[in-house]
Amino acid sequence: MLKKILTYFFIVLLLAIIVLGFLYLQKQKEYKGIDPFSAIPVNSELIVQFESLEQLITKLENNTGTWKELSNFDKIAKINSNLQFIDSLVGNFNSEHSISLDRSLTMASHLQGKSDIEYLYILPITDYLEEKGILSSIKNWLAPDKELKEKTYQNTSLFTIPKTSEKERELHFAFSKGLLIGSHSMLLLENSIRQLSTENSISKSKGFEQIRRTIGKNVDANIFLNLKTFPKQISFSLDRDHSKFIRNYTNLANWTELDLSFRNRIVLLNGFTYSDPQQGNLMNLFLQQEPVKMEMESILPSQVSMLAILGINDPLLHKGKYRKYLDQMGKLSDYQKNINDLKSKTGEDIEEIIFSIIYKEVGLAFFESDPKKRFTLIRTKSASIAKEKMLKSVLGYAKKQKRTLDYYKRTYKLDSQTSFDIYRLPDDKLPEKLFGSFFTDASSAYFTFIGNYMLMGPNINVLSDFIKESVLGKTLDTNLSYQENKEFLSNKANFFFYTVTPKANRFISSFLNKDLQSEIKNHKESVNKFQAVGLQLSANRNLIYNNLFIEYDPVLESAPQTDWESRLDTCFRHKPYLVKNHYTKENEIMIQDINNQLYLLNPEGRILWKKPLDSKVIGKIEQIDYFKNNKLQYLFATKNHLHLLDRNGNYVKNYPIRLKSDAVRGISIFDYDKNRNYRFFIPCKDQKVYAYSKEGKLISGWNPAKAENPITCEIQHFRVNNKDYIVYADKYRVYILNRRGVERVKLKKQFSKSENNPFYLEKANKRLVTTDSNGIIYYCYFNGKVESKSFTELSDAHYFIATDLNADGKNEYLFADYNFLKIYDVSGNQKLEQKFDSGISYRPNVYKFSRRNIEIGICVENENKIYLIDTEGNNHSGFPLKGNTEFSIGFAKAGNHSFNLYVGDNRNFLLNYSVH
């Protein structure tokens, strides 16, 4: 009996061990090699996979730039809310069932109903034990009055977390084949479970696996777009007309993959697109086309708000492929009808003409948010040949209308020397008819040529605006933001799209539905912080490479509002000199860049000529009437030469004049008797002052003694009581000479004159006033007497100006040093103290707009700002403005009601502001 009992006991024990072992092994079972994409319904439009959910949540929480701004918008806020929900849920798991979020998260969007977009969330589960722990923790997490609902679908348990408030929605989830699948849509969850049981995975759809193999590692996310269905999802964001168009636009390509990298100041998306060459896809136009180097930026005005460029290496191949595409779409007959209509109008084959002149680029550009300012540009092989061909069609049309070619020609004059012929085309829808719906509303009513580019636009006025900006060099390739973004762009492409968001905001909004328009309006500041978006597409064997960036800048900075801006080859540091055109009596501008190239610009900002010099200009650029015929020339000094140029930039006879020694200060011009028998004085390195006649010959009657030390200032001339005084100084003493160079006044006390400041004549007191290197004011009388006063402590780099600022007949004394400006009266009473955020960079300039309207110009180079303040320290209306040099103010043209201010900026531009 005992034996029988023991036998039964051992049998039961063995069975218990087997059962317990089986259960233990079940709990330890691991899920391996489960692809989350196998649970995604094949008709999903958008798939996003994050390599690490934990890293994603941490990065987005810490992101103070792009993601923070994007989270202001409802759709992004919902995604952010879901990620925070997962993080919060896991954070409430007890220690026994805690799980790591350092695993991938896959999201897929899916259209439901007419306009609903639902999301599927997929997380891989490591093992059976973790699955049970998650389920247990969710049940424990629920409030006591809430219960986890459960139902069975295809042998899988589907759970529902009830909503905790009216604003929230139920969340459904299930565990299947090692995946945790969740969604707010039970229908989408069921589709996912059903998808897992089929062989027809999304990974097997044509082209998907090919682009999946190209995904990048160590990025924030991999995004997959189904370009056959994704346009429908986009359509929900658009207004009725554009929504209908995009919803049916299913022939762009097949699949696109983009690697997403979030940074505080930039969002980057790079990857590949697969477009089946056997299907009628629009992107097939790029296949077999070599990417081209795009140069249109060099001619496009910087005020462009939106730009799209087709890079066409082989125009005939493009034409053939486009015709094939239209044929597959059933639209070739309409296209051919348009071509035939144009031929009957002009007698010429416009299609053949256009495709024969294309060289590399066809572009569409928008100005600001004005829909009328829309331009088409075609880069040509030869502007002259292209013009000849285009005029054949215009002439053919003119003959049919019994008119001459001149009837269809207008001329735009930029200035008296620069003009552009603009012609009327017989058809104003040419771009759309030849290149497709992307060019809808791009008018070809008028055309002209700039360089090798043919420019088409809606009217002469907008073409003229384009020409002016382009010719002055205010082009896109000089835009600082664009230049910075170019580091994210490839050198070559087949398609390029670029938009400046703040400028295009209103235009883009016009395509959107009312809800999105309202959101953009309410978050305008956030939208404008995304200052630029750029996209490039480049053919790469049988794939197309995508390169997209979104620039984020938290500081919204407006562009300077100028009359015009003219680009130089490089920057310049000195004051723009206003010089008179002796023919028109208008002010022109002369400047020299840091490469020692001298420029003359006309009042419209066009560069008339450039002339390379041996070194930088020392001192000022002056004008003289050399021939005494009321025609003016430009006189100045460089290190080794005196230069005298006529208004065309040519040297006057005998010039340039080689100096006896290197110049240490600029040239001074004296016309003692006002008869234009000029004398040129220049101090040199050998401590001598040389005097030249206007013919460039040394004046024999001038024989001053050599200075005791290096001369530190320009030579000045004063006439007092019919006596001439020629004044200058070295480091330790002052020289006051007569016209022969003999000492006329011997000062009773010498001092070390400040190097930055000249002498000023105070006629009422018959004295000269200046400062020494410590900022002490010195009065030098013509009888040799010297007096001094100390008003304020200054460095040896200070600036001093003596001038009558309040029209009372007495001078005020202006001091500038470090970052402050001070004004005193002659008695030493302080009238003004003004401080700036950074140091004052150049000598202040005093501008007398009228007898009592006097203002002071200040440049703070470190901040790229210029100030114009009155004697009370108040900013002139509209100031500070952008600029980083000294500036000049004057009337550009006779009869102008406002002054023009000319200054350089940190983008190598000469700026012209109107000052009212």
Side-chain angles (χ1 to χ4, degrees), residues 756-771:
N756 284 341
N757 304 297
F759 291 91
Y760 297 91
L761 175 64
E762 295 187 334
K763 289 184 178 180
N765 303 102
K766 296 181 180 179
R767 66 188 183 186
L768 301 175
V769 59
T770 189
T771 57

Side-chain angles (χ1 to χ4, degrees), residues 357-580:
I357 66 174
I358 292 174
Y359 182 69
K360 306 289 189 184
E361 299 172 278
V362 176
L364 175 64
F366 298 73
F367 269 21
E368 302 294 337
S369 57
D370 188 345
K372 293 180 181 178
K373 292 188 175 182
R374 197 176 303 192
F375 305 89
T376 302
L377 293 101
I378 296 176
R379 184 178 168 194
T380 69
K381 300 168 186 174
S382 163
S384 59
I385 294 174
K387 183 176 181 179
E388 183 181 337
K389 290 185 175 184
M390 291 299 296
L391 289 184
K392 280 186 179 179
S393 62
V394 178
L395 185 58
Y397 180 71
K399 287 179 178 178
K400 288 179 179 288
Q401 299 297 315
K402 297 182 179 179
R403 299 185 187 277
T404 64
L405 181 62
D406 285 343
Y407 182 83
Y408 298 96
K409 175 184 173 182
R410 297 292 183 273
T411 298
Y412 164 64
K413 287 192 173 184
L414 177 61
D415 52 50
S416 59
Q417 298 144 317
T418 312
S419 62
F420 293 81
D421 292 333
I422 300 175
Y423 298 91
R424 181 74 169 92
L425 269 172
D427 189 280
D428 60 359
K429 296 290 184 182
L430 195 57
E432 180 184 358
K433 290 176 180 178
L434 290 177
F435 303 110
S437 56
F438 195 83
F439 287 80
T440 300
D441 296 331
S443 174
S444 59
Y446 292 86
F447 76 95
T448 188
F449 286 85
I450 305 177
N452 270 339
Y453 286 87
M454 183 171 78
L455 171 67
M456 292 184 279
N459 58 60
I460 293 172
N461 289 336
V462 297
L463 284 182
S464 301
D465 291 341
F466 188 109
I467 291 168
K468 181 177 180 180
E469 298 296 311
S470 184
V471 171
L472 294 185
K474 189 183 176 184
T475 48
L476 188 61
D477 63 345
T478 65
N479 182 282
L480 283 179
S481 177
Y482 180 79
Q483 285 296 316
E484 290 170 359
N485 290 329
K486 282 186 72 173
E487 68 176 280
F488 305 110
L489 299 173
S490 171
N491 190 38
K492 296 181 178 181
N494 294 113
F495 177 78
F496 176 50
F497 174 83
Y498 182 79
T499 183
V500 182
T501 312
K503 292 181 180 179
N505 196 341
R506 192 168 64 183
F507 178 75
I508 294 171
S509 294
S510 67
F511 291 85
L512 305 177
N513 61 36
K514 290 183 178 179
D515 291 339
L516 260 180
Q517 285 183 6
S518 178
E519 269 201 276
I520 288 175
K521 185 177 181 180
N522 293 336
H523 302 292
K524 184 178 179 180
E525 188 171 326
S526 291
V527 171
N528 287 344
K529 288 180 181 178
F530 292 90
Q531 297 209 351
V533 178
L535 168 67
Q536 285 182 318
L537 304 176
S538 305
N540 187 297
R541 296 183 181 177
N542 60 336
L543 296 176
I544 296 165
Y545 179 68
N546 315 285
N547 180 18
L548 187 149
F549 73 84
I550 304 170
E551 179 204 9
Y552 171 82
D553 192 341
V555 180
L556 298 175
E557 192 170 303
S558 58
Q561 299 302 306
T562 53
D563 279 5
W564 52 253
E565 301 178 26
S566 188
R567 182 177 58 163
L568 308 182
D569 293 343
T570 184
C571 61
F572 64 99
R573 294 292 181 224
H574 66 79
K575 183 178 182 178
Y577 292 104
L578 298 185
V579 293
K580 189 172 292 294

Side-chain angles (χ1 to χ4, degrees), residues 846-858:
V846 175
Y847 299 98
K848 297 188 177 183
F849 298 102
S850 66
R851 184 168 175 267
R852 293 188 178 275
N853 183 10
I854 299 172
E855 296 186 317
I856 303 157
I858 301 288

Side-chain angles (χ1 to χ4, degrees), residues 31 50 125 152 251 258 293 369 487 513 789 852:
Y31 302 124
F50 304 97
I125 303 300
T152 302
N251 61 328
L258 298 170
K293 183 179 180 181
S369 57
E487 68 176 280
N513 61 36
K789 285 184 181 180
R852 293 188 178 275

